[in-house]
Amino acid sequence: MPGRQLIMNFEVTPTSHTFEAYRSRGGYATIESTLKTMQPADVTKEVADSGLLGHGGAAFPVGRKWGVMKPIPGEIHYLCANADEGEPGTFKDRWILENAPHLLVESMLITSYALGVRHAFVYIRGEFDLPWRRIQGAIDEAYAAGLLGAKLFGTEFALDIVVYRGAGSYVCGEASGLITSIEGRKPYPRNRPPRLTVRGLFQKPTVINNVESLANITGIVRMGAAEFRKVGTAKSPGTQLISISGHIAKPGVYEVEYGYPWAKFLDEDCGGMLHGAKMKCVVPGGISTKVLTRPEIENLTLSHESVNPAGSGLGSGGMIIIAEGTCMVRLLQVLLRFYHHESCGQCTPCREGMGWMHRIIDRIVEGKGAPEDIDRLYAISHANDGTTICGMGDAAGYATVGILNKFRDEFEYYITNKRSKCDGRLECLA
């Protein structure tokens, strides 16, 4: 495995997700010792000192987000675990939900203690069946064992966790869209400020953390911030779960220590390219991150400080490998179809812009494109940038501009010759 393991550090068996198995690995010992030996502010400080970065895509420091919410005794606060994993190619949170659900429950207990939360939610994508059954089963087991509810471990601390199943819309994974969905309304994102940590769910202070971000909390409190910082790099402490798919020999979910050589990860840990093909490019962290070619990643490490200066990001950890011979025009068509379909329609630049982009790329693929269509795609991408409430309009533009910048010649060839330079292929041939 690529580096040290903090989350995938046990053998997965048919029963390793159960309460009994988690207890045998020392599960729930950290929340018990935390309640008896640490003050809530100490927990927040430990997480802030660890330098843990959010794993939902933005890589915002978790401790800083927590620090914005100032618990007031008697006032209602909420915690939401964002398990609405909808970015194409991103499926690493599913691994935690399916294989380590009690780790998430214990981490939510510790987080809730730190933030003064009495009620917490797991917002999970509706299509996730096994992940939903596993996390709901873990919560039921925790209640049965007296680890959720009132007066936990003989203290006054109490917590209830509710699992809320969404309807599978991409925008529900956006933090404020998630909140409005729980409130029973159409999941339109909200304008900010005020931040959700000031006025969130039901107008009360709310912290929303990604599943993987939360799953790190138990380990950080157990080992201490100083030990956690020994894993990874100075600016990217810890590890990242990477779900890798596409034209790669061994797709799946890997836990990678930050700072691990990218090329080594692909060539050795992931078994190299499918069918021995040559790599054309990679989507590093979900489709909203800009593609990088193989030469561009050759000397990079898997860390934010290495990937960001190269013009992209690790994002959600959803890595997609693309082989030589893949038609980038057809690939962009697939991506824009997704964005157009998933736009919630609240903001005009996103609602109309996605439609225009989708229609333009469809026209090119049909052999009816015009030379100026490439500049139109650029113009709409830039027009969407920063003009929508959530980041979806920006994301579609990033993906489009990233592909056009690297593979403009394929678009020009398609428009001129009314056919693909790569025969329209998306698959990797043996």
Side-chain angles (χ1 to χ4, degrees), residues 85-136:
E85 192 171 47
E87 185 90 352
T90 305
F91 46 89
K92 46 92 179 178
D93 286 346
R94 288 187 61 172
W95 191 96
I96 296 172
L97 294 162
E98 292 178 3
N99 298 295
H102 281 286
L103 176 62
L104 177 61
V105 173
E106 183 173 12
S107 290
M108 291 182 71
L109 279 160
I110 296 170
T111 303
S112 297
Y113 174 67
L115 299 176
V117 165
R118 175 67 177 83
H119 302 281
F121 295 84
V122 176
Y123 188 97
I124 190 167
R125 196 168 185 78
E127 294 95 328
F128 281 4
D129 181 49
L130 180 58
W132 165 68
R133 285 188 279 124
R134 288 282 172 86
I135 187 63
Q136 185 61 65

Side-chain angles (χ1 to χ4, degrees), residues 162-173:
V162 172
V163 178
Y164 189 99
R165 300 186 74 180
S169 173
Y170 182 55
V171 76
C172 290

Side-chain angles (χ1 to χ4, degrees), residues 146-222:
L147 301 177
L148 284 173
K151 296 188 178 300
L152 300 177
F153 298 99
T155 71
E156 293 302 313
F157 175 60
L159 180 68
D160 288 305
I161 299 179
V162 172
V163 178
Y164 189 99
R165 300 186 74 180
S169 173
Y170 182 55
V171 76
C172 290
E174 196 275 340
S176 59
L178 182 156
I179 278 177
T180 52
S181 178
I182 294 179
E183 291 173 344
R185 296 181 287 120
K186 192 169 184 176
Y188 280 154
R190 296 180 185 174
N191 274 315
R192 282 163 278 179
R195 296 175 179 175
L196 300 179
T197 46
V198 175
R199 192 181 303 165
L201 183 62
F202 304 120
Q203 301 299 305
K204 298 298 182 182
T206 303
V207 162
I208 300 178
N209 282 142
N210 165 263
V211 166
E212 185 185 350
S213 305
L214 285 169
N216 274 283
I217 300 303
T218 298
I220 289 171
V221 174
R222 182 177 61 242

Side-chain angles (χ1 to χ4, degrees), residues 237-256:
T239 65
Q240 176 155 357
L241 297 191
I242 290 180
S243 55
I244 186 166
S245 60
H247 304 150
I248 192 78
K250 293 164 57 179
V253 180
Y254 297 77
E255 184 172 13
V256 181

Side-chain angles (χ1 to χ4, degrees), residues 334-357:
V334 172
L335 299 185
L336 291 178
R337 181 189 303 144
F338 168 80
Y339 280 117
H340 184 203
H341 180 268
E342 293 294 334
S343 174
C344 75
Q346 181 178 203
C347 305
T348 303
C350 180
R351 182 185 66 242
E352 301 300 328
M354 300 295 179
W356 290 342
M357 296 169 82

